[in-house]
Amino acid sequence: MPVLVTTRAGGVSAPPFGGPDTATGLDAAGRPDVVGGLNLGDHVGDDADAVAANRARLAARLGVPVRYMRQVHGRQVALVREPGPPPEADALVTDVPGLALAVMVADCAPVLFEAPTAVGVAHAGRVGMAEGVIGATVEALTDLGARPDQLEVTIGPCVCAGCYEVPAPLRAEVERLVPGSAAHTRQGSAAIDLRAGILGQLTRMGVTRVAVSARCPAEDFSLYSYRRDGRTGRFAGLAWLPS
Ligand SMILES: [Zn+2]
């Protein structure tokens, strides 16, 4: 039951969607942004041929087709059982082996769900988390026969509380919907802790096996970060049942 998170490296996209330069490490501005980015987002202004080539490389490396979605910061879950166009959704689930599910992110949390007979991925930023996309995904997996206590969940790299400053009223509103998400930045201002919020939601649903990545895209140049760079690419979290 594999899961995987991509980085900027290993593709063909050019700046500002580029990847790390393995020869010099950094560009003139100190950023790893040269040709070779594995941008998987087809909605961020990158060259369509480059994105297609990146997606083909990823599928070839995994050895299985990859299903994407048109993410809208909601709580819609799509059940997919074969390759096809991206549904409008913020979570995908399947019980079909040999079909990888992808969630694209650049600061939002890629949440990856594994069970013996089903897998899922969810796109959980501030809005999706508050809308309840995590609970909706757990319910969809339960419908496929994967109970919460059977799930192994990975909360992949997402913007950390220390970097995620928000207005105090917004923090309070999100805390009301997602208890445990209120936090402080490193400077002491109001922040949202996506990891803590999502972990709390999972725990309250009976999901106890959760791994949380400590990587923050806004601080880690090997990952795309919208908050840091604005116009940039998307990396992906993937989950699939082995065929
Ligand atoms: Zn951070």
Side-chain angles (χ1 to χ4, degrees), residues 1 8 16-17 36 38 40 61 70-71 92 110 128 140 154 167 175 177-178 189 218 233 239 241:
M1 297 166 285
R8 298 175 76 120
F17 311 100
L38 190 72
L40 298 166
R61 255 177 244 161
R70 273 193 296 118
Q71 302 165 188
L92 295 172
T154 302
E175 171 68 19
L177 297 166
V178 188
S189 54
L241 288 167

Side-chain angles (χ1 to χ4, degrees), residues 95-195:
D95 53 4
V96 174
L99 178 64
L101 309 178
V103 50
M104 295 179 285
V105 289
D107 293 331
C108 290
V111 186
L112 316 176
F113 299 77
E114 306 171 76
T117 57
V119 292
V121 298
H123 167 235
R126 168 179 61 80
V127 176
M129 176 180 74
E131 291 267 327
V133 71
I134 298 299
T137 308
V138 172
E139 285 170 11
L141 288 164
T142 303
D143 290 344
L144 292 177
R147 298 189 316 266
D149 64 288
Q150 293 176 311
L151 293 176
E152 289 184 41
V153 179
T154 302
I155 302 173
C158 63
V159 64
C160 76
C163 290
Y164 194 2
E165 183 176 39
V166 296
L170 179 58
R171 175 177 71 174
E173 180 190 331
V174 174
E175 171 68 19
R176 185 174 59 77
L177 297 166
V178 188
S181 62
H184 292 90
T185 64
R186 281 188 204 91
Q187 291 74 35
S189 54
I192 288 173
D193 189 332
L194 289 176
R195 298 166 184 162

